[in-house]
Amino acid sequence: MKSNDILLVDTCAIIEACRTGCWNAISKNFRVETVDECIVEAQTGKAQRIYPPIPEQELRAAFHKVYTVSEIDRATFELGKPEGVPELDPGERDLWVHAWQRPDAWYLCGPDKASMKTGFILGHRERLISLESTLSCIGINKDIKQHYSARWLEEVLYNLNQGLL
C-alpha cells in the first residue's frame, strides 16, 4: 500500500483514527472512502468513543467518496456471496457489499474478525490492511488498541488460513 491508494474504512477504523489524532493525516494521504452506514454508525452509538464527536458534515468532507448501498445491492450480495461469509453489522456489511462490486484496486481497514473473515472468503486477503500498517505507510507511529495492529491482523489471517476461525 502507498499514499494515494484507495482505502475503504469501517466505523471502528474511523473512530480509532480520530481517537489517536491521525484521521486528518489518513484522509489527506489516501483516497479514503466508505459507505453511508459507517457515517451513521460514527454519529450514533459508537460515536460515544470519539472525543469530541466529529460533526457529520466535517466527517463526510474528509472522505474522497461516501457511497450509498441500495437494498438491491445488499440482496445481490446476499444471493451471490460464497458459503461461510459471516453475519456482519450494518456498516461492515454495506462496506463489503460495496467492495465486492468494485473492479479496481483498493484496501480495506476494518478491525473485526467477521469482516476480515468475509474478505478472506471473498478472496481479498491481500487487500486487508491494519490501521497500524496504514499509518506506517505515511510514517506515523501511534499507540493504538491491539485489534488495530498489524500483528492482530496477521494472527486473524493465519487462523483463517488454518481453518481455525
Side-chain angles (χ1 to χ4, degrees):
M1 183 174 187
K2 61 189 179 319
S3 184
N4 209 34
D5 280 348
I6 295 171
L7 178 64
L8 305 176
V9 293
D10 78 357
T11 307
C12 291
I14 295 166
I15 290 169
E16 182 67 0
C18 290
R19 186 192 71 79
T20 58
C22 57
W23 175 249
N24 287 338
I26 290 171
S27 67
K28 288 178 182 168
N29 283 281
F30 298 100
R31 291 177 40 208
V32 184
E33 301 181 0
T34 196
V35 293
D36 285 319
E37 189 62 36
C38 288
I39 299 290
V40 169
E41 289 177 357
Q43 297 303 303
T44 56
K46 291 184 178 184
Q48 295 172 17
R49 292 186 259 164
I50 302 175
Y51 301 101
I54 307 168
E56 182 177 353
Q57 197 170 24
E58 183 181 324
L59 182 59
R60 284 183 180 276
F63 284 94
H64 178 73
K65 182 102 172 139
V66 177
Y67 296 92
T68 299
V69 176
S70 71
E71 288 299 324
I72 292 172
D73 294 334
R74 289 181 191 112
T76 301
F77 179 76
E78 287 300 318
L79 292 171
K81 71 182 181 184
E83 188 176 318
V85 171
E87 290 297 314
L88 300 168
D89 75 29
E92 292 166 339
R93 177 205 59 214
D94 281 4
L95 195 60
W96 276 111
V97 167
H98 169 72
W100 188 61
Q101 299 172 1
R102 293 184 75 124
D104 58 350
W106 47 266
Y107 295 90
L108 189 139
C109 182
D112 178 88
K113 286 181 184 176
S115 181
M116 297 301 97
K117 184 174 184 175
T118 298
F120 185 86
I121 291 171
L122 293 176
H124 296 303
R125 183 184 200 277
E126 73 287 351
R127 295 180 185 214
L128 306 176
I129 190 162
S130 67
L131 182 60
E132 179 180 44
S133 295
T134 301
L135 293 172
S136 180
C137 288
I138 54 176
I140 296 175
N141 183 14
K142 288 283 186 178
D143 184 24
I144 57 174
K145 294 179 181 174
Q146 186 265 339
H147 58 283
Y148 298 94
S149 70
R151 182 176 180 178
W152 177 87
L153 180 58
E154 289 169 13
E155 288 175 8
V156 168
L157 293 174
Y158 174 82
N159 287 332
L160 286 167
N161 197 49
Q162 298 300 312
L164 302 173
L165 287 178

